[in-house]
Amino acid sequence: MNRLLSVLARCATATTLAVAGVASVPAAAQAATYAQIEGTGSTWSEVIVQQWIADVDAAGMKVVYTGGGSTKGRKDFAQDTNDFAISEIPFQGTDEQGNADTSNGRSFAYLPIVAGGTAFTYQLKVGDELVRNLRLSGETLTKIFTNQITNWNDPAITKDNNGRAFPNLPITPVVRSDGSGTTAQLTTWMDKEYPSIWRPYFGKSGLTSYYPKKSGSRTVSQAGSDQVMNFISSTYGNGTIGYVEYSYPVNKNYPVVKVLNRGGYYVEPTQYNVAVALTKARINTSNPNDPSTYLTQILDDVYRNPDPRAYPISSYSYMVIPTAADDPRMTTAKRQTLADFMYYSLCAGQTKAGPYGYSPLPLNLVQAGFDQIAKLGKADKDVDLTNRDVRSCNNPTFDGKNLSNNKLAQIAPQPAACDKAGAGPCGTSTGTGDPSTDEGDGGTTDEGDGGGGGGGGGTDVDTGGEVTTDAPGSVDPVTGEVVGGDTGAVSDGAAVYADPSTVLVADRAGDTRAFAWLSGLLLVTLVVLPGLYVSALRRRGSAGARS
């Protein structure tokens, strides 16, 4: 009886882990010896990373992560003071301040971990009411962050909002004071799309991780995304606007700007709009042996994606992992922890991306992540990397019928008609994580115009990577899928589009058998064993009564 109870207890524990989402950690790895690992860096990614850390704790993995900005993460990695770093930009060689920005000889690999949108959150009140549906073009935003537009009643802001005027109130831009990947993403976008505005302000071309402030301006600096968010949402924050990853306003239920895209619609960075935008991301794969460039992102076509659903400032975040066999901080136990933590993050962890204000990675980046993790096994043969298969990942972007499709991008609904430039604005709130569409109440407007109808002209990307604009998109009201649409892309040599067009994992019969066996075992655990457990307790109770 004790043996049976012991078996049942172990099965119950396994079932609990499965329900918690840790089932994607292979069974062999769950019995592995782990050691605590420590990482530093990006606050853009921190919300989802901290959730993943909490998830894997039940499997015995201890991971400590401290933000502080992408620049800090890369510096800590170069100085051998962390086990991994997270950054939105790669090592630059020499940073914008003339300082060395390299790994200092420490061998590394970039590993994509999550996608998302850099959002503009703000506090703007009319009377005592918070405006929750502000719309701004990229040009207007760039002029705000370069101090050319300084008041909320500026005609450019009124125009973006289809004639809706805002109070005579000074604008207070809130920027990062630390070296930030979020700042680098914003300034890269401004440099690429609005160079005639950005470069005179910055004094040169290119990105910067340290946002430049001009004396005499109202610009305020805060350290970390959380402090930017807290400052803007504070009681003294009326008139402020800043930039953070979308997760921060979503988790605080705070509004974000709908940004005008090349398709002529104002959209926010929901997981759907980010997924659509990133079908045009190109990933540098020109030299797999050059860790300084391999898997780095090229976002020019993302900024200019003509799909009406695309959020322009969408991107990925990367983990920097140590790959040398003689790395001064790594042991077998640490490598095992890092490998299994990342397997969870790239698989089951991606299902949490959308609810937390991010967007899950597409198939080819998950596969690329698996390939990078394999380098931990090459550095140490005792690291167990068996029973890993990307097809076992329950990722919202994966289409089980066609792995070359990005399912999330395909089912992304068309924007509401009132989100189109010259219409609306829509009367629905932003910062909720839900896209504004005509299938729900997204079609209502403040002035009663622009509601109803389709989402405007649909833009599809065919499997050859060519963009075609056709008649207004037809959306299935149940699935949200654009009928007849397709969003695929192809390799163009040195760069690979983020929406894969080829199956990257062979269909191995052994994998199918393994997963079928595992499913059968889980069925026994959930259905048969609890009954045996109850029967055993009853027999023991009856025996006790007879004695």
Side-chain angles (χ1 to χ4, degrees), residues 139-160:
E139 180 178 351
T140 301
L141 282 162
T142 303
K143 287 182 176 179
I144 287 174
F145 283 94
T146 56
N147 307 137
Q148 294 187 38
I149 292 179
T150 59
N151 197 292
W152 286 106
N153 67 1
D154 190 280
I157 297 177
T158 303
K159 179 182 177 182
D160 285 337

Side-chain angles (χ1 to χ4, degrees), residues 337-350:
T337 306
L338 183 56
D340 290 343
F341 174 55
M342 287 317 302
Y343 273 119
Y344 170 77
S345 302
L346 289 173
C347 286
Q350 295 294 308

Side-chain angles (χ1 to χ4, degrees), residues 291-330:
S292 66
T293 61
Y294 186 61
L295 297 186
T296 55
Q297 53 194 338
I298 305 167
L299 301 174
D300 301 44
D301 295 334
V302 173
Y303 304 151
R304 300 157 197 167
N305 191 330
D307 193 301
R309 302 166 295 173
Y311 183 76
I313 318 170
S314 299
S315 57
Y316 305 109
S317 189
Y318 291 88
M319 179 178 284
V320 185
I321 62 172
T323 57
D326 59 351
D327 188 90
R329 288 186 60 92
M330 300 306 288

Side-chain angles (χ1 to χ4, degrees), residues 104-115:
N104 196 30
R106 190 178 185 187
S107 298
F108 69 94
Y110 296 129
L111 190 157
I113 59 170
V114 75

Side-chain angles (χ1 to χ4, degrees), residues 49 76 113 187 193 268 425 441 457 535 538:
V49 170
D76 289 346
I113 59 170
T187 58
E193 296 300 288
E268 62 180 298
D441 8 343
S535 298
R538 287 175 177 172

Side-chain angles (χ1 to χ4, degrees), residues 218-397:
R218 293 181 59 86
T219 302
V220 173
S221 299
Q222 296 290 303
S225 297
D226 54 344
Q227 293 306 311
V228 170
M229 188 72 248
N230 290 340
F231 188 93
I232 290 171
S233 60
S234 67
T235 55
Y236 46 81
N238 192 28
T240 57
I241 182 171
Y243 54 91
V244 292
E245 204 284 328
Y246 186 52
S247 60
Y248 288 87
V250 165
N251 289 297
K252 205 174 183 69
N253 190 26
Y254 222 73
V256 300
V257 172
K258 286 186 176 180
V259 179
L260 182 64
N261 64 23
R262 287 295 181 95
Y265 284 80
Y266 293 90
V267 298
E268 62 180 298
T270 65
Q271 62 172 325
Y272 304 100
N273 296 336
V274 169
V276 170
L278 289 175
T279 61
K280 283 299 184 181
R282 288 179 288 140
I283 310 303
N284 192 329
T285 58
S286 58
N287 186 359
N289 296 319
D290 182 1
S292 66
T293 61
Y294 186 61
L295 297 186
T296 55
Q297 53 194 338
I298 305 167
L299 301 174
D300 301 44
D301 295 334
V302 173
Y303 304 151
R304 300 157 197 167
N305 191 330
D307 193 301
R309 302 166 295 173
Y311 183 76
I313 318 170
S314 299
S315 57
Y316 305 109
S317 189
Y318 291 88
M319 179 178 284
V320 185
I321 62 172
T323 57
D326 59 351
D327 188 90
R329 288 186 60 92
M330 300 306 288
T331 63
T332 298
K334 279 191 172 186
R335 289 189 180 94
Q336 191 70 61
T337 306
L338 183 56
D340 290 343
F341 174 55
M342 287 317 302
Y343 273 119
Y344 170 77
S345 302
L346 289 173
C347 286
Q350 295 294 308
T351 65
K352 297 190 175 183
Y356 279 85
Y358 296 87
S359 189
L361 294 174
L363 173 67
N364 65 332
L365 287 183
V366 175
Q367 177 67 74
F370 274 41
D371 293 342
Q372 298 292 66
I373 293 171
K375 294 178 180 179
L376 297 172
K378 291 180 180 178
D380 186 341
K381 63 179 179 59
D382 292 327
V383 176
D384 181 9
L385 301 180
T386 57
N387 298 323
R388 270 63 164 201
D389 190 317
V390 70
R391 294 179 302 117
S392 67
C393 295
N394 182 24
N395 184 312
T397 70

